[in-house]
Amino acid sequence: MSDNPLAETTAMDEEIVAYLDGELDSVAEAQVVRKLSEDAAFRARLSQLQHAWDLLDNLRGSEADDEFAASTVAMVAVHAEHESKSQQMKVVRQRGLTWLAIAAVILLSMSAGYYISHRRVTRNDRILVRDLPVIEHVDEYRNIDDLDFLKALEHENLFPSEVDDGT
């Protein structure tokens, strides 16, 4: 016996269905007849499937009328229209997201460009602001001939590091 009882049942059902449909050759049919005489589970399953076959044969065949066909076609058309609208909305949404991403990239590029150009344009102004305390006193420094004297004054903290602009 195998580890998969479902596979065994499926194989048994296929063999019984082929027997009931008359699709087996004489050797396979003889094997099924032998199994029926020896195996009670096989006989019970054949009985179940034969009963199902008989019930299917007793079902009254019915034909679809024009109203059923029309309503089925209408339902298919409604479903197809819904799918079409859903697909269109998906395409519109994807386009919107694409344009949003493009706009974000452009905005980011413009911001980076502005920052870089602003830094380059104002570089000289920042240097002047940094050197403003020296520039304010340049006339006084011209009168001093000795650099060591200036260093001594700086050491005495006579040059303020920040300029008080009166505010």
Side-chain angles (χ1 to χ4, degrees), residues 65-144:
D65 60 356
D66 291 338
E67 184 180 328
F68 176 77
S71 66
T72 303
V73 169
M75 286 191 314
V76 169
V78 166
H79 181 70
E81 183 180 347
H82 176 69
E83 285 294 319
S84 173
K85 286 182 180 179
S86 174
Q87 187 65 23
Q88 288 174 348
M89 290 302 294
K90 186 185 283 186
V91 168
V92 167
R93 197 174 317 123
Q94 287 175 343
R95 283 184 187 158
L97 288 175
T98 300
W99 281 110
L100 184 63
I102 290 171
V105 167
I106 289 172
L107 183 63
L108 184 63
S109 298
M110 289 174 56
S111 298
Y114 173 79
Y115 176 77
I116 291 170
S117 63
H118 183 267
R119 292 286 293 178
R120 286 188 178 194
V121 167
T122 61
R123 182 175 184 267
N124 290 336
D125 292 340
R126 285 192 316 275
I127 292 171
L128 287 174
V129 169
R130 184 192 68 205
D131 295 339
L132 183 61
V134 174
I135 295 170
E136 288 177 334
H137 299 288
V138 75
D139 292 333
E140 298 163 3
Y141 299 148
R142 281 189 191 161
N143 297 329
I144 300 173

Side-chain angles (χ1 to χ4, degrees), residues 2 4 11 14 16 21 25 27 41 46 49 54-55 63 94 97 115 126 158:
S2 79
N4 190 349
E14 288 176 3
I16 293 172
D21 285 344
D25 59 20
V27 174
L46 174 82
L49 290 174
D54 292 342
L55 290 175
E63 291 187 27
Q94 287 175 343
L97 288 175
Y115 176 77
R126 285 192 316 275
L158 295 176

Side-chain angles (χ1 to χ4, degrees), residues 3-16:
D3 293 337
N4 190 349
L6 182 61
E8 286 182 17
T9 303
T10 303
M12 182 191 315
D13 286 353
E14 288 176 3
E15 189 175 22
I16 293 172

